[in-house]
Amino acid sequence: MTSTSKSHVHNEIASQPQCWRRAVELSRSADALPRAGARVAVIGCGTSWFVAQAYAALREQQGLGETDAFAASEFPAARSYDRLVAITRSGTTSEVLDLLRLVRGRIPTVALTADPATPVADLADDLVVLDFAEEKSVVQTRFATSALALLRAHVGDDVEPAWQEAERLLTEPVDPKVAERHQFVFLGQGWTVGLAHEAALKMREASLSWAESYPAMDYRHGPISLADENSVVWFLGGGSPPRLVQEVERTGALVVADRLDPLADLVRAQRLAVALGSAKGLDPDRPRNLDRSVVLDPARP
């Protein structure tokens, strides 16, 4: 745990409430973001794709227009949208840049990035820069959550409870009952499905843990067969049908279903992932086999 306190990712996780406040302020002047009624596509890779999923579901939930989320490499090029939103921390991810080139002049684009001095600035029509949320760690935490805080505020969601809850949670220790389990399943509903995917990714990246994620009700259709006394089944934000919670508890799994803002609840999952990784002797800033940005060599197949 001592090494965790010295890691970049530990400090970046702790800074999130402050970053979210700045993101909400920025949202008030982010005129390039989609307006109500626009048909929108949101793209990203990895963590940014999961943020895109959360934003797309929330925007539709708020009645602001049809919104689709895609991994950048899977965007259906023949489709037409009023605006494409690209989420890219580094501004250098190959799949994102390739897609921006492909749709340039056909679909108006805006990129959310932490570094405007990167190729994305030359390819997107507009930029929203969250340089205050830039990160040194390979593992994404505060950039992704700050981008989502900005997007939530832009669609009219109240983010203040999230940063207030996160500030409190950051002062609390990781729950030892959760940390002693070996299988982690994160479940979401609506816009929190994307956050469930992101929580599971953090567990895999930072601690090399067995972690899965599903829409909550779909968990009953097969994956619940793996649940036992070694499992944690975590409902992001506490949104969970009581009957499903009861079914999971009968498997012997530990259920986490606290009524929190889902973004604040994600902070708990981030901290758990880093704590478990540090306890295993892993470097939480540099997970194995990962780079901070995926830049593909066009000369290689």
Side-chain angles (χ1 to χ4, degrees):
M1 297 298 291
T2 302
S3 61
T4 304
S5 64
K6 297 179 180 178
S7 69
H8 293 306
V9 71
H10 178 273
N11 296 327
E12 289 158 3
I13 288 172
S15 71
Q16 287 177 110
Q18 178 183 357
C19 288
W20 299 350
R21 286 192 287 268
R22 294 187 65 177
V24 170
E25 293 172 2
L26 179 60
S27 73
R28 301 184 182 117
S29 58
D31 296 333
L33 292 176
R35 297 181 179 179
R39 185 168 184 261
V40 175
V42 197
I43 60 102
C45 297
T47 289
S48 295
W49 176 36
F50 300 144
V51 171
Q53 292 175 0
Y55 169 56
L58 184 60
R59 188 173 184 271
E60 286 213 6
Q61 179 182 308
Q62 300 285 64
L64 296 175
E66 182 179 346
T67 314
D68 297 321
F70 302 99
S73 60
E74 299 300 318
F75 180 79
R79 288 195 192 177
S80 178
Y81 290 92
D82 298 319
R83 185 163 291 271
L84 184 145
V85 179
I87 305 173
T88 170
R89 173 179 66 171
S90 68
T92 60
T93 302
S94 294
E95 300 99 302
V96 172
L97 300 182
D98 289 345
L99 179 55
L100 290 173
R101 290 188 188 97
L102 180 67
V103 303
R104 196 170 192 181
R106 184 168 66 85
I107 302 175
T109 59
V110 56
L112 278 61
T113 187
D115 186 356
T118 56
V120 73
D122 298 323
L123 295 173
D125 297 320
D126 294 289
L127 287 183
V128 177
V129 180
L130 295 87
D131 50 2
F132 54 85
E134 177 63 295
E135 296 165 328
K136 294 181 179 179
S137 175
V138 170
V139 173
Q140 276 204 62
T141 54
R142 73 180 181 190
F143 172 76
T145 60
S146 296
L148 185 54
L150 179 145
L151 294 166
R152 285 180 64 181
H154 189 259
V155 301
D157 222 13
D158 183 6
V159 185
E160 184 173 354
W163 76 59
Q164 291 178 342
E165 289 179 354
E167 285 177 337
R168 175 180 59 81
L169 293 169
L170 285 164
T171 68
E172 299 178 356
V174 171
D175 186 343
K177 296 193 302 295
V178 175
E180 68 186 12
R181 304 289 175 117
H182 304 295
Q183 179 197 12
F184 301 90
V185 179
F186 295 90
L187 305 179
Q189 292 182 290
W191 71 275
T192 67
V193 173
L195 295 190
H197 294 330
E198 170 58 10
L201 178 62
K202 290 288 93 68
M203 294 296 296
R204 293 190 290 266
E205 288 178 332
S207 68
L208 304 183
S209 295
W210 177 11
E212 303 173 345
S213 51
Y214 304 93
M217 294 305 293
D218 210 53
Y219 181 60
R220 306 165 74 227
H221 295 270
I224 195 172
S225 63
L226 293 171
D228 59 21
E229 64 279 357
N230 292 312
S231 307
V232 173
V233 179
W234 190 319
F235 294 83
L236 259 292
S240 53
R243 182 176 176 182
L244 177 56
V245 171
Q246 294 166 5
E247 289 183 22
V248 173
E249 288 176 334
R250 284 197 291 270
T251 70
L254 175 65
V255 171
V256 178
D258 300 316
R259 289 286 178 178
L260 299 169
D261 183 283
L263 203 54
D265 206 9
L266 178 60
V267 172
R268 290 202 302 175
Q270 293 171 343
R271 295 181 70 218
L272 174 65
V274 172
L276 290 179
S278 296
K280 294 177 180 179
L282 304 174
D283 182 346
D285 287 330
R286 288 178 289 275
R288 71 182 189 186
N289 304 327
L290 294 181
D291 295 313
R292 189 174 180 280
S293 173
V294 178
V295 180
L296 303 177
D297 182 352
R300 298 177 64 181

